[in-house]
């Protein structure tokens, strides 16, 4: 057997500068999940998974705290509360009309980038990702002069760890 080496660069300010030269000051978010355990630290209670759902408080104001946890801002220079660009994406994603959905999402999303990111996860068999079943391990970045790009991250589950391989870990079992 040969050794397997991993060379990775976590998306952050350096990553954005390298892959989006000259347009590296836009918002970068990492999708994640919010896991709850019992007070004893062992019993699993459940989790929330990152979605582009429209989560609001009374009066229709978006719940920034929920999005900040499930779509964590990264490489932030000023505040982790600047979600206006992201909320425009959420609003476009939640259009009830298919025609409005398509036109607004096409205007905001670099569709080929999102499809490539999803394809990489499917090819690798990485079900532990946003867009498949878990709702994490993806980054989205919006260049100030462009549309939201998607960046795959953390593809380790596709390298041999099948759903349910971790005994007692219900969190990592793929829902059927």
């Amino acid at each position: 057997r040969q050794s397997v080496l991993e060379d990775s660069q976590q998306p952050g300010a350096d990553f954005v500068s390298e892959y989006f030269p000259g347009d590296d000051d836009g918002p970068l978010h990492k999708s994640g999940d919010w896991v709850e355990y019992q007070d004893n630290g062992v019993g699993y209670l459940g989790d929330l998974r990152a979605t582009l759902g429209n989560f609001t408080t009374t009066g229709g104001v978006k719940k920034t705290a929920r999005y900040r946890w499930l779509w964590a801002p990264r490489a932030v220079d000023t505040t982790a509360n600047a979600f206006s660009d992201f909320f425009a994406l959420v609003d476009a994603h939640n259009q009830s009309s298919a025609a409005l959905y398509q036109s607004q999402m096409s205007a905001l999303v670099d569709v080929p980038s999102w499809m490539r990111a999803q394809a990489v996860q499917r090819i690798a068999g990485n079900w532990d990702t946003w867009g498949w079943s878990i709702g994490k391990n993806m980054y989205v970045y919006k260049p100030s002069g462009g549309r939201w790009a998607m960046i795959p991250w953390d593809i380790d589950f596709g390298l041999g760890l099948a759903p349910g391989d971790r005994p007692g870990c219900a969190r990592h079992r793929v829902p059927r």
Side-chain angles (χ1 to χ4, degrees):
R1 295 187 175 199
Q2 297 295 316
S3 297
V4 175
L5 303 175
E6 177 182 359
D7 184 15
S8 64
Q9 177 182 19
Q10 183 170 356
D14 291 342
F15 177 90
V16 171
S17 293
E18 184 176 339
Y19 286 91
F20 300 90
D23 203 353
D24 59 358
D25 59 352
L28 174 70
H29 296 270
K30 182 181 189 291
S31 65
D33 55 357
W34 180 343
V35 181
E36 293 284 336
Y37 291 92
Q38 293 176 350
D39 289 342
N40 64 11
V42 178
Y44 172 74
L45 295 173
D47 63 32
L48 295 174
R49 296 174 178 177
T51 71
L52 291 176
N54 189 27
F55 303 105
T56 60
T57 62
T58 305
V61 176
K62 292 204 176 12
K63 294 181 179 182
T64 303
R66 180 174 180 151
Y67 292 99
R68 190 174 45 244
W69 188 266
L70 298 173
W71 289 96
R74 296 289 195 245
V76 176
D77 285 336
T78 55
T79 177
N81 294 316
F83 273 80
S84 59
D85 285 326
F86 190 82
F87 288 161
L89 176 65
V90 168
D91 289 341
H93 187 266
N94 287 284
Q95 291 298 322
S96 58
S97 156
L100 280 176
Y101 173 86
Q102 185 174 3
S103 68
Q104 290 186 13
M105 287 296 284
S106 295
L108 292 176
V109 169
D110 176 359
V111 175
S113 132
W114 284 46
M115 295 300 100
R116 280 191 303 270
Q118 295 295 320
V120 163
Q121 301 292 16
R122 294 294 173 144
I123 290 167
N126 188 33
W127 51 267
D128 187 38
T129 184
W130 187 86
W132 194 328
S133 69
I134 299 298
K136 62 182 186 173
N137 296 330
M138 286 284 202
Y139 282 82
V140 292
Y141 175 71
K142 185 185 179 303
S144 57
R147 296 174 291 165
W148 286 97
M150 186 170 284
I151 304 156
W153 176 250
D154 191 7
I155 305 178
D156 61 341
F157 274 27
L159 301 175
L161 183 64
D165 277 356
R166 292 173 52 186
C169 187
R171 175 175 161 320
H172 287 103
R173 292 196 185 106
V174 175
R176 301 211 191 278

